[in-house]
Amino acid sequence: MNKPQRFHPSSVLGVLLMLCASASFADVSEHKKACTDVQAKAASSAIAEAKKALNKAINTLKSPSSGDAARQIKWFGALDSTTAAQVRVKYEAALGNVAFVQVWCPVSNDLTFKWDSGDLAAVHPSAPGAIFLPPDFFNLGASGADSQMGTIIHEATHLSGVGLHPEVYGVAKAKALAAKTPAQARNNSDNYQYYAEDTVFTLP
């Protein structure tokens, strides 16, 4: 979602540059394609739902119920006041990014600057405040794991400085990461995505 962002501290841009060090610096302008009306409607809906989910996730970190605490352990490991605050700050930054994001809809799924061949969306340091949504994004569901909403959250956390490298993808691997190395889980965008989706949709 590539929208000129009013919220892009240089520190976040620096993190993004580091994260993209191994990505190909292709001409991003060739992927800045306007969304069709149908794509724009779907993207706007996903962004609106992402805002709601981010607010909900932030609130659960401020005052967690027993269910919230169990979800936090599942996706981030056990959180104390310091680590919970760190996760909350990332979500709050993601919420700020989503509020001022611009969306581009490339015509190809094969973006050379994607993190991985399986990615369904992408951000790039030369397009701050932007998320690129290739065609495969629009085949995602509206709920559950790896939803359109969740994918927006995933990319927004990258814009917030979250960026384990290499990234860990998928529900099972994200859970395993939280169980084994929670500090890494707190720097992996899929974990932020799944916690938010679990809070809204309840994931297994």
Side-chain angles (χ1 to χ4, degrees):
M1 294 170 263
N2 175 296
K3 183 181 201 169
Q5 196 185 13
R6 303 175 201 165
F7 183 108
H8 58 274
S10 58
S11 58
V12 170
L13 290 178
V15 170
L16 286 171
L17 285 166
M18 286 170 40
L19 287 172
C20 276
S22 64
S24 171
F25 279 79
D27 183 2
V28 173
S29 63
E30 72 184 51
H31 298 297
K32 289 184 176 180
K33 305 296 184 184
C35 301
T36 66
D37 290 344
V38 172
Q39 289 174 327
K41 183 177 180 180
S44 293
S45 177
I47 290 169
E49 293 305 310
K51 289 177 183 176
K52 292 178 188 176
L54 286 165
N55 274 308
K56 191 167 185 177
I58 289 164
N59 288 333
T60 66
L61 288 157
K62 290 178 180 176
S63 182
S65 66
S66 57
D68 296 330
R71 277 188 290 274
Q72 289 165 12
I73 291 171
K74 188 197 304 189
W75 301 112
F76 298 118
L79 299 178
D80 56 25
S81 59
T82 299
T83 51
Q86 291 169 350
V87 170
R88 190 178 74 243
V89 164
K90 297 296 186 186
Y91 274 127
E92 289 170 343
L95 182 60
N97 283 315
V98 168
F100 300 110
V101 76
Q102 184 174 3
V103 178
W104 296 108
C105 295
V107 297
S108 171
N109 292 311
D110 300 320
L111 307 186
T112 53
F113 57 81
K114 291 194 301 182
W115 305 113
D116 189 275
S117 60
D119 287 352
L120 295 166
V123 296
H124 195 272
S126 69
I131 298 178
F132 294 80
L133 303 178
D136 278 351
F137 170 84
F138 298 98
N139 295 326
L140 297 173
S143 63
D146 299 311
S147 62
Q148 290 185 358
M149 176 204 83
T151 300
I152 295 293
I153 291 172
H154 179 113
E155 298 304 328
T157 63
H158 278 318
L159 293 174
S160 305
V162 175
L164 187 66
H165 199 63
E167 281 193 81
V168 172
Y169 294 101
V171 169
K173 290 182 179 179
K175 284 182 185 176
L177 188 67
K180 286 182 164 183
T181 50
Q184 290 187 2
R186 295 192 293 272
N187 195 36
N188 189 60
S189 287
D190 255 13
N191 290 72
Y192 284 82
Q193 172 183 332
Y194 293 139
Y195 178 77
E197 287 176 328
D198 201 0
T199 299
V200 175
F201 304 127
T202 306
L203 303 185

